[in-house]
Amino acid sequence: MIRVAVVDDQDLVRAGFVLLLRSSEGIEVIGEARDGLEAIALCRRTAPDIVLMDVRMPHLDGLSASRTILADPACQGTRVVVLTTFDDDELVLEALRAGASGFLLKETRPAQLLEAIEVVAAGEALLHPRITRRLIERFAALPAARPSSGDGLTDRERDVLLAVAQGLSNQEIAGRLHLGYGTVKTHVSHLLTKLGCRDRAQLVMYAYESGIAVPGRG
């Protein structure tokens, strides 16, 4: 069972998410919160696998709450999926930097939301397709970064990191690089450790900000 906490300041919206999640046999809703402060207390008490986090809330916003939750040793295994009606570029970047593993718009279809929870719970990163396009366009507009040479990565690890940044799954990376699936998982694990990244979303951020990945190059 994937244990999920739902955080949203609108009672009707929150109730809708809870009803949807409870319709899935593989998901258990372990609690609800109406703002960031309640979310922090809930997560410290229950350590959910996934937090569906709204952004604009009273008392404490979702991004600030996410930073606190993900830095808390009591929530070491918790992952945050940000859900919002806003698709502002800066908001997406701040959410990823705060440690969010996913960013979805509230217009996401129910089946896609349930799938997203499973994907993030399995350790993958997930962004709404429209947000992904906007992020790549944003990176493309920035001055080209010089690839980092001090990260201690092997050539193969750089190849895997580049493929992760292009949105490929482990299975797809294995096919492209002619590696075993288990070997790819090991490389990704080593990348997370070496680069101090929490998950694949942060690996993507690192790849573009360091210049290893360049928008427009396949």
Side-chain angles (χ1 to χ4, degrees), residues 155-177:
D155 289 341
R156 179 57 78 191
E157 286 171 340
R158 283 173 177 263
D159 291 341
V160 172
L161 177 59
L162 179 59
V164 170
Q166 292 168 347
L168 300 184
S169 67
N170 286 350
Q171 193 65 54
E172 291 168 332
I173 295 172
R176 172 180 290 189
L177 300 180

Side-chain angles (χ1 to χ4, degrees), residues 2-196:
I2 302 173
R3 302 170 64 253
V4 180
V6 180
V7 184
D8 196 294
D9 65 324
Q10 297 183 47
D11 293 343
L12 187 59
V13 172
R14 193 174 65 254
F17 283 136
V18 169
L19 184 63
L20 170 64
L21 295 178
R22 285 179 174 162
S23 72
S24 175
E25 294 182 356
I27 294 176
E28 176 189 2
V29 178
I30 53 85
E32 306 174 40
R34 292 172 292 183
D35 58 51
L37 294 178
E38 288 187 7
I40 292 170
L42 173 63
C43 290
R44 285 174 173 166
R45 186 171 68 252
T46 62
D49 300 313
I50 301 291
V51 182
L52 291 185
M53 181 74 76
D54 191 16
V55 176
R56 309 288 173 84
M57 297 183 293
H59 307 306
L60 187 68
D61 65 88
L63 300 188
S64 297
S66 295
R67 292 188 189 95
T68 300
I69 291 167
L70 296 174
D72 194 319
C75 304
Q76 189 172 7
T78 299
R79 298 180 183 276
V80 172
V81 175
V82 173
L83 276 168
T84 182
T85 55
F86 305 95
D87 60 349
D88 178 79
D89 295 348
E90 286 297 334
L91 184 63
V92 176
L93 289 172
E94 285 304 310
L96 293 176
R97 290 187 176 117
S101 298
F103 198 108
L104 297 174
L105 300 182
K106 288 184 179 178
E107 66 189 42
T108 300
R109 295 178 179 177
Q112 292 174 321
L113 175 58
L114 294 176
E115 181 182 3
I117 290 173
E118 294 178 358
V119 167
V120 173
E124 302 279 344
L126 190 142
L127 297 177
H128 190 284
R130 187 165 84 227
I131 293 173
T132 301
R133 289 195 298 270
R134 290 167 65 94
L135 275 181
I136 297 302
E137 290 170 359
R138 180 181 177 86
F139 279 120
L142 297 174
R146 177 177 296 179
S148 172
S149 59
D151 48 33
L153 301 182
T154 65
D155 289 341
R156 179 57 78 191
E157 286 171 340
R158 283 173 177 263
D159 291 341
V160 172
L161 177 59
L162 179 59
V164 170
Q166 292 168 347
L168 300 184
S169 67
N170 286 350
Q171 193 65 54
E172 291 168 332
I173 295 172
R176 172 180 290 189
L177 300 180
H178 306 291
L179 298 172
Y181 177 78
T183 301
V184 173
K185 287 187 65 176
T186 298
H187 279 309
V188 172
S189 178
H190 287 170
L191 285 168
L192 292 170
T193 301
K194 281 188 175 183
L195 302 178

